[in-house]
């Protein structure tokens, strides 16, 4: 029996080490993946106080690590997580932060935790002394961080970048953030130039469409045409419901929204509908697409085919509702470090103070763009062709000289790896003027 339990302990320890080095933020959670480290821990515990695992965990370094583990857990958030925002994501900088957090954990374990647990009864006041800095220092740091963030750290470069990196386009909460059906939406709140004489322009889709709000606000004004923004986050005008993991509720909600939106379009004045979508979600291993017969598939080739067919179907539905169709090709997507897509949160705060936002820039080549996003680009081209519409390709504007960059010529063109910024959107107005003139 001892041999079995000792072998179980070894298996458990190996299991924990495997999950330590193989799990990442991309690992689906909650789900069955969470059971693996739990089972590993149970096996280690069941191995008991004897055997190779027990001897290893009884060594002085292991015991010390176990003693301070909770303190280290508490300290890692303010030191490592916030510290990365300050000094950046370089491996050496992160290693330094790990060491610093270990030092804080060791000090708090010895001078706070142990004194509180084992101090003499007549030394209560003395035991309380270390608690004062432990409480005051984090409170003071939180106050400084909060005020500094609110005031953009009194830095002109931070103020300018913050203005361009607004997380959402104009009226996003009213338009893209509205979760109800189009038939119940107060469209007047998402309309620009309602009294203009030209044919209306309708912007429809998910956030990949909503990111062009500023471009179309400017273009519609120049063309003297009213603009209606009818977007909903996570719901493209694509007849290919997509779910991630086992949760199909959002896919069903989007399918219901799209069916209502198509009916709503039939009742609107004839105009031009601008569509935009991106297929990056179907590339996830845990993503599945629902076929017309109701079956779900996670096969990549099948998902790409269904996405193209769904894009064409969505564009044709718009045409059949009595509108002209303009399709915008997906913008280049910029990969991140430690996360699937680039985000300003990866930027070291020190780069803002040094007035060097370019240090946080991310870019890809046009060759990478065309290769990585071939399915989405083909789907946009096929849907525009099928609906006798116009295709707006923004590659030349977003990727001059063969490089697609988040930061260019002193301005942020992207707000995250999947969406252009409000500044970038404004700079694309002329392309939309030309595209809409052809529709």
């Amino acid at each position: 029996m001892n041999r079995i339990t000792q072998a179980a302990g070894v298996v458990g320890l190996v299991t924990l080490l495997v999950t330590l080095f193989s799990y990442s933020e991309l690992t689906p959670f909650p789900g069955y993946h969470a059971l693996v480290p739990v089972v590993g821990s149970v096996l280690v515990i069941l191995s008991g106080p004897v055997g190779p695992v027990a001897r290893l965990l009884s060594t002085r370094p292991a015991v010390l690590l176990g003693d301070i583990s909770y303190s280290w857990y508490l300290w890692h958030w303010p030191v490592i997580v916030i510290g990365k925002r300050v000094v950046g994501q370089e491996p050496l900088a992160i290693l330094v932060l790990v060491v610093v957090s270990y030092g804080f954990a060791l000090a708090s374990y010895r001078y706070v935790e142990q004194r509180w647990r084992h101090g003499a009864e007549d030394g209560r006041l003395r035991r309380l002394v270390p608690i004062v800095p432990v409480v005051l220092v984090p409170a003071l740091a939180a106050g400084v961080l909060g005020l500094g963030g609110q005031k953009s750290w009194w830095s002109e470069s931070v103020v300018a970048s913050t203005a361009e990196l607004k997380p959402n386009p104009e009226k996003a909460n009213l338009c893209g953030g509205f979760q109800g059906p189009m038939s119940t939406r107060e469209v007047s709140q998402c309309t620009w130039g309602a009294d203009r004489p030209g044919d209306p322009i309708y912007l429809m889709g998910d956030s990949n469409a909503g990111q062009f709000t500023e471009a179309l606000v400017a273009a519609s004004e120049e063309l003297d045409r009213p603009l209606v923004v009818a977007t909903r986050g996570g719901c493209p005008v694509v007849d290919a419901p997509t779910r991630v993991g086992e949760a199909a509720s959002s896919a069903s909600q989007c399918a219901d929204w799209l069916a209502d939106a198509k009916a709503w379009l039939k009742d609107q004045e004839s105009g031009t509908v601008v569509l935009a979508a991106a297929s990056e979600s179907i590339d996830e291993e845990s993503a599945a697409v629902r076929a017309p017969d109701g079956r779900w598939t996670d096969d990549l080739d099948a998902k790409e085919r269904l996405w193209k067919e769904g894009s064409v179907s969505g564009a044709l539905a718009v045409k059949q509702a009595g509108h002209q169709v303009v399709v915008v090709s997906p913008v280049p997507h910029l990969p991140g470090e430690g996360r699937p897509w680039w985000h300003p949160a990866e930027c070291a705060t020190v780069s803002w103070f040094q007035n060097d936002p370019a240090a946080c820039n991310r870019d890809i080549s046009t060759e990478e763009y065309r290769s990585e996003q071939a399915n989405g680009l083909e789907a946009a081209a096929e849907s525009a062709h099928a609906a006798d519409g116009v295709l707006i390709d923004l590659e030349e504007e977003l990727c001059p000289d063969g490089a697609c960059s988040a930061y260019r010529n002193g301005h942020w063109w992207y707000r995250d790896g999947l969406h252009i910024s409000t500044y970038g959107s404004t700079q694309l107005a002329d392309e939309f003027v030309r595209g809409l003139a052809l529709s």
Side-chain angles (χ1 to χ4, degrees), residues 131-174:
I131 297 178
V132 176
V134 169
V135 174
L136 289 182
V137 171
L140 181 61
V144 171
L145 289 171
L147 181 61
Q150 187 178 39
K151 299 296 183 181
S152 297
W153 299 102
W154 302 274
S155 167
E156 292 184 4
S157 64
V158 176
V159 171
S161 294
T162 300
E164 292 182 351
L165 289 169
K166 288 193 302 183
N168 294 305
E170 188 174 350
K171 294 187 179 181
N173 291 335
L174 287 174

Side-chain angles (χ1 to χ4, degrees), residues 262-286:
K262 290 177 181 178
W264 173 82
L265 265 180
K266 292 180 180 180
D267 296 330
Q268 305 308 305
E269 180 183 353
S270 294
T272 301
V273 177
V274 179
L275 303 175
S279 62
E280 86 287 337
S281 62
I282 69 171
D283 294 331
E284 296 184 26
E285 292 184 6
S286 60

